[in-house]
Amino acid sequence: FLIVADCTGHGVPGAFMSLVGNDYLHQIITDKNIRDTAIAITRLNERVISSLRKRTNAGIRDGMDLAMCVIDTKRNELMFTGAKRPALVFRDGEIITLESDRLAVGEIPGENEFFTSQTIPLEVGDEIYLYSDGLTDQFGGGADKKWKVVRFRELLKQFAGESMEDKRRLIERAFLDWQGEEPQTDDVCLLGVRVG
């Protein structure tokens, strides 16, 4: 399992959402043995909505954006579900984008809204990247523009021959150089793994 989650609340509500989300995900994945990403996020969403309604007796304003992958090493497959967060797979110099659903965890689904999963075959050397919007929304570059996913994609191609540890350092350096003197806009989380 690979999961990157970003709570939309700040301060105490954000911290509460982090605790609730982590606890519920642990129960769903470990105790209930759920391996389908869409089912896991759907169950998480149901529990978060129920829990927040009981605690607040009001509408829900806070939630979380989340990307979840399950890697099946026996079948060499990747299953992905995103709640407003995509995933990138870097393979042989090309980037495969796994699009997310437009529904966040904590949102009550509309009539035709639900979480979906995508499954793709994996190859040795594939790199999987999950990231929060703080990475792409950072202002900088001397022109007060956002970093955007296009810069991140360009860096993945530019650093294609590097080890994962070197990529981490190089991407972090590029991000900080872009940020310059601008304050950090949001929490930043980037998770990258290479299939061995």
Side-chain angles (χ1 to χ4, degrees):
F1 284 88
L2 304 174
I3 300 171
V4 166
D6 185 16
C7 297
T8 57
H10 297 281
V12 173
F16 175 73
M17 182 61 65
S18 296
L19 291 171
V20 166
N22 184 60
D23 185 47
Y24 287 160
L25 274 172
H26 181 77
Q27 290 173 21
I28 291 164
I29 292 168
T30 306
D31 300 345
K32 302 292 184 189
N33 200 30
I34 302 292
R35 296 293 181 257
D36 183 295
T37 55
I39 293 172
I41 293 181
T42 298
R43 296 242 176 112
L44 172 65
N45 192 43
E46 291 166 353
R47 285 183 165 193
V48 165
I49 290 169
S50 175
S51 177
L52 290 180
R53 278 195 170 157
K54 286 177 186 172
R55 283 179 170 77
T56 64
N57 285 327
I60 301 166
R61 289 177 298 211
D62 295 321
M64 69 178 81
D65 300 341
L66 185 144
M68 175 188 283
C69 292
V70 173
I71 298 174
D72 186 329
T73 56
K74 292 179 182 172
R75 294 182 176 159
N76 291 323
E77 288 181 340
L78 171 79
M79 180 184 288
F80 167 76
T81 298
K84 290 194 174 178
R85 295 303 320 140
L88 300 179
V89 178
F90 185 66
R91 174 184 293 158
D92 296 326
E94 298 299 320
I95 296 173
I96 301 165
T97 302
L98 303 176
E99 297 292 347
S100 65
D101 296 307
R102 294 183 176 199
L103 187 64
V105 172
E107 287 183 29
I108 298 172
E111 188 175 327
N112 293 314
E113 286 186 308
F114 46 87
F115 293 106
T116 59
S117 62
Q118 305 170 54
T119 302
I120 65 167
L122 286 175
E123 299 176 8
V124 172
D126 282 356
E127 296 170 10
I128 303 157
Y129 293 93
L130 309 177
Y131 54 95
S132 67
D133 63 354
L135 179 75
T136 54
D137 288 350
Q138 178 60 50
F139 288 98
D144 202 31
K145 292 183 179 178
K146 289 185 178 183
W147 202 49
K148 296 192 177 180
V149 72
V150 69
R151 287 186 213 302
F152 178 48
R153 292 167 65 101
E154 288 169 0
L155 288 176
L156 292 180
K157 291 180 179 182
Q158 181 182 340
F159 303 140
E162 304 290 343
S163 69
M164 292 301 282
E165 179 58 29
D166 286 342
K167 277 189 183 185
R168 183 198 64 76
R169 286 187 301 98
L170 292 164
I171 290 169
E172 181 178 26
R173 181 77 263 149
F175 179 83
L176 293 173
D177 287 347
W178 172 264
Q179 180 180 344
E181 297 300 314
E182 293 287 332
Q184 186 169 319
T185 306
D186 197 357
D187 296 333
V188 177
C189 181
L190 171 62
L191 171 65
V193 297
R194 180 178 287 160
V195 177

